[in-house]
Amino acid sequence: MFEIKIKITTISSCLIGNQTESFSIGGVDQSTTIDENGKPIIHGSAFKGAFRNIVREQGKRKEEMTQTKDYVKYLLEDILEKYNSEDIIETEKMRKMLSNLKEKAKNPKAEYIFGIEGVNGMPRLFCSDFRVSEFEDRQKDNYFLIDTKNNLEEKDGEIFSNPRTYRVIKPRIEFEGIIRFYNPLDVSQKLERKMKKELKEVLKEFNNGLYGIGNSKSRGYGQIKVEILEQGEKR
């Protein structure tokens, strides 16, 4: 198992979580998700989805993410070897799973480190929730902006404007969290270290402006900056 501690800083306004608030006068249509203290929070699932998208896109290139692909191939072959060396009750479900693993071992993809559907106990990446940095000292309402957008909609052949408001995270808000790779198997630590180094580099792809995070496609995904925090480092 290894961990990568990271800091996320919002570069643009970000709608993350898409929480719907009950209607009230002066209220908003959609709001970013908040924690138990009323501060914004980036759920691990939201960041994991955005990170997985980058890994998937980078992994499509033959020359990219080679260490991670090698690790996935080694991992799948190790799992298959263990199944072949053990006396197991062969069922239709088991045959399908083994066939699936064999096909994936022939064409390993970097994104498989996030898990493979239908395969339990597979080593995989997990993301913690990203919470506002302890160094941030603001009133809870000072983390947000109210953003307004007019959505153009068509009804009965007529175009009309439907104004909507969003409670978004302000730019320059800092969050901290951890990415963990959990591996219950005895697999090459050398390959694991190489993969960790490669994943750190891929995380920096968030900083080139091509990848974002958030829910509102029509408004554009929010831009973030990602920094790797070394052990014991806070900022």
Side-chain angles (χ1 to χ4, degrees):
M1 186 179 100
F2 65 74
E3 294 182 350
I4 303 175
K5 296 184 179 181
I6 67 175
K7 179 174 75 173
I8 295 172
T9 304
T10 54
I11 301 302
S12 68
S13 298
C14 295
L15 176 65
I16 303 174
N18 218 10
Q19 178 175 309
T20 302
E21 296 188 351
S22 58
F23 178 79
S24 61
I25 301 299
V28 297
D29 296 291
Q30 292 176 327
S31 175
T32 198
T33 306
I34 58 175
D35 66 12
E36 66 278 5
N37 297 312
K39 296 180 180 180
I41 185 172
I42 301 174
H43 284 305
S45 57
F47 185 80
K48 182 179 176 181
F51 184 31
R52 183 171 188 165
N53 180 55
I54 298 178
V55 170
R56 181 184 296 114
E57 292 299 317
Q58 295 286 310
K60 288 179 180 178
R61 304 168 191 167
K62 186 177 180 180
E63 71 280 4
E64 298 289 343
M65 304 220 61
T66 56
Q67 302 296 335
T68 304
K69 291 173 188 174
D70 285 346
Y71 184 85
V72 167
K73 181 177 178 62
Y74 184 96
L75 184 67
L76 292 173
E77 289 176 345
D78 185 76
I79 293 173
L80 285 167
E81 185 178 344
K82 283 182 169 60
Y83 274 114
N84 290 330
S85 64
E86 296 176 358
D87 293 328
I88 59 174
I89 300 174
E90 193 168 318
T91 63
E92 183 62 26
K93 182 178 180 180
M94 182 64 69
R95 283 193 292 272
K96 286 183 178 180
M97 186 190 76
L98 293 177
S99 177
N100 183 28
L101 289 177
K102 288 176 183 177
E103 288 299 315
K104 286 178 167 50
K106 292 177 183 177
N107 182 30
K109 296 181 180 179
E111 65 189 85
Y112 292 159
I113 59 167
F114 290 89
I116 297 176
E117 186 177 356
V119 182
N120 296 324
M122 175 88 175
R124 65 183 67 190
L125 282 175
F126 296 89
C127 294
S128 72
D129 289 338
F130 291 82
R131 294 180 175 269
V132 172
S133 169
E134 61 186 66
F135 294 97
E136 290 277 10
D137 185 20
R138 306 171 182 235
Q139 296 294 321
K140 66 180 183 180
D141 289 337
N142 201 26
Y143 293 101
F144 306 98
L145 292 173
I146 301 299
D147 195 3
T148 303
K149 178 179 176 64
N150 285 325
N151 292 331
L152 296 179
E153 299 181 5
E154 182 179 355
K155 185 176 181 181
D156 298 328
E158 295 186 11
I159 303 295
F160 64 95
S161 176
N162 180 23
R164 297 179 65 83
T165 56
Y166 305 87
R167 190 174 186 230
V168 299
I169 306 171
K170 282 183 175 181
R172 296 185 296 279
I173 304 297
E174 296 179 0
F175 299 80
E176 291 183 13
I178 297 174
I179 297 173
R180 292 184 176 91
F181 182 73
Y182 175 66
N183 183 4
L185 306 176
D186 183 20
V187 183
S188 171
Q189 292 185 355
K190 183 179 180 181
L191 281 175
E192 194 171 281
R193 287 193 296 271
K194 289 181 178 180
M195 182 180 69
K196 179 181 179 181
K197 183 178 180 181
E198 191 170 69
L199 289 173
K200 284 183 176 181
E201 291 303 311
V202 174
L203 281 165
K204 296 175 184 177
E205 290 293 320
F206 278 107
N207 303 336
N208 64 20
L210 296 178
Y211 299 98
I213 189 171
N215 302 73
S216 185
K217 294 181 181 179
S218 63
R219 298 177 59 257
Y221 291 109
Q223 297 299 306
I224 60 173
K225 177 183 178 182
V226 172
E227 298 175 66
I228 309 297
L229 299 178
E230 299 302 331
Q231 192 70 26
E233 184 181 354
K234 288 293 185 180
R235 294 181 68 85

